[in-house]
Amino acid sequence: MQNNNTEIEIKLSCPQNFNDIFAKNLNNFGTFEVIKNEQINCLNTYFDTKNFDLKQQKTALRFRKMHNIKSNQNNYFLTIKSSNLIDNQRGLSNRKEFNLKVFTENINLQNHNDFLAKYIPNFSQVIPNLQAMFYTNFLRNTYLINYETLQIEIAIDNGKIYSDLITTKIYEISEIEMEIIKGDNVDLLNKFADNLSNYFAQQKNIILTPLNDSKAKRGYSLFF
């Protein structure tokens, strides 16, 4: 979750038990410093109108509840994201992202009109019709690392995507994300992801395949 309004990350699919394997092999696929390791429960609500006005604007509106298991602390964020700004088939994405920290687990969107109006076109027409459309619920294991000139957050997510409006479909989440937190060298991020993928393919016979669809895009596919 960046603060500079740009999210650059690589996303790969992985097995359900990948975090255990990853943790045991953390020092085997590159030279880097692990700064912090955390485990977080994330419950996310995505909002839109029944006519999918935000989707048509290529915008995702998410409210995230984060429970840090180690510290037993909760944090809450309201986030607006753009669709991927680049055409890439290697799991690389570049999105605009705007975050607002809030201080309640029971979100009322109309209490945050000033924030939402900055980034949602035709805001006054959209806001009265927003409703919870779908959810992503997952356990996230994070590793914050220094790698050459980059600071990267590695996040391994396991959970599900579902909707109260469409009860016949549930999508599994099992993926690893590598996001630039500090720095801007995308080639270095690609190098790190390649080293990681090659190690697990060659040494552990685990294929990490590029995942080009965001969780939001997969959530919307519940309806189509």
Side-chain angles (χ1 to χ4, degrees):
M1 184 178 291
Q2 286 262 41
N3 293 317
N4 65 359
N5 300 335
T6 300
E7 176 194 71
I8 300 172
E9 67 180 15
I10 292 174
K11 189 191 301 281
L12 307 171
S13 66
C14 64
Q16 283 284 341
N17 64 340
F18 186 66
N19 183 67
D20 293 339
I21 301 168
F22 179 86
K24 291 176 182 177
N25 291 273
L26 192 56
N27 298 316
N28 295 341
F29 55 84
T31 302
F32 50 84
E33 175 192 8
V34 179
I35 304 169
K36 184 168 58 173
N37 168 223
E38 294 182 311
Q39 196 171 51
I40 301 168
N41 276 317
C42 296
L43 177 59
N44 308 276
T45 304
Y46 287 80
F47 295 90
D48 207 335
T49 69
K50 65 180 182 180
N51 295 321
F52 301 104
D53 290 287
L54 295 185
K55 180 179 183 296
Q56 292 176 40
Q57 297 174 11
K58 298 182 178 181
T59 298
L61 174 59
R62 180 188 73 199
F63 176 59
R64 170 168 287 178
K65 304 177 184 180
M66 304 171 64
H67 175 71
N68 189 305
I69 293 173
K70 288 183 179 179
S71 67
N72 198 32
Q73 292 182 336
N74 296 318
N75 285 288
Y76 311 101
F77 290 91
L78 191 60
T79 298
I80 297 173
K81 281 191 178 188
S82 73
S83 60
N84 195 355
L85 301 175
I86 57 176
D87 183 14
N88 182 275
Q89 297 302 311
R90 298 187 60 204
L92 177 67
S93 65
N94 182 329
R95 294 182 173 88
K96 291 297 182 183
E97 177 180 307
F98 306 96
N99 296 296
L100 177 69
K101 184 175 175 63
V102 298
F103 299 93
T104 176
E105 64 176 335
N106 299 309
I107 190 71
N108 182 339
L109 294 177
Q110 296 193 22
N111 289 340
H112 307 287
N113 284 353
D114 290 345
F115 171 72
L116 297 173
K118 290 180 183 178
Y119 309 113
I120 297 178
N122 302 317
F123 164 78
S124 61
Q125 298 174 26
V126 172
I127 185 68
N129 300 309
L130 290 174
Q131 64 184 66
M133 298 298 289
F134 59 89
Y135 307 91
T136 62
N137 188 355
F138 53 87
L139 177 65
R140 166 166 285 183
N141 287 277
T142 66
Y143 303 82
L144 186 65
I145 68 167
N146 286 329
Y147 176 70
E148 298 190 24
T149 60
L150 293 182
Q151 189 172 96
I152 300 171
E153 183 184 72
I154 304 166
I156 301 173
D157 297 341
N158 290 104
K160 61 183 180 179
I161 303 171
Y162 60 98
S163 174
D164 293 338
L165 304 175
I166 302 289
T167 58
T168 56
K169 295 181 185 177
I170 295 177
Y171 295 150
E172 296 296 320
I173 296 171
S174 186
E175 61 194 47
I176 176 170
E177 299 177 353
M178 291 152 280
E179 178 183 351
I180 293 177
I181 302 301
K182 292 182 181 177
D184 58 8
N185 191 326
V186 177
D187 288 339
L188 263 185
L189 181 65
N190 278 310
K191 176 184 172 184
F192 178 83
D194 287 345
N195 289 344
L196 185 152
S197 296
N198 290 336
Y199 171 81
F200 283 101
Q202 296 169 10
Q203 302 298 323
K204 301 298 176 181
N205 199 30
I206 296 174
I207 306 301
L208 305 173
T209 57
L211 192 54
N212 297 306
D213 291 343
S214 67
K215 294 182 183 73
K217 187 172 182 179
R218 281 175 276 162
Y220 274 113
S221 71
L222 291 168
F223 299 89
F224 299 97

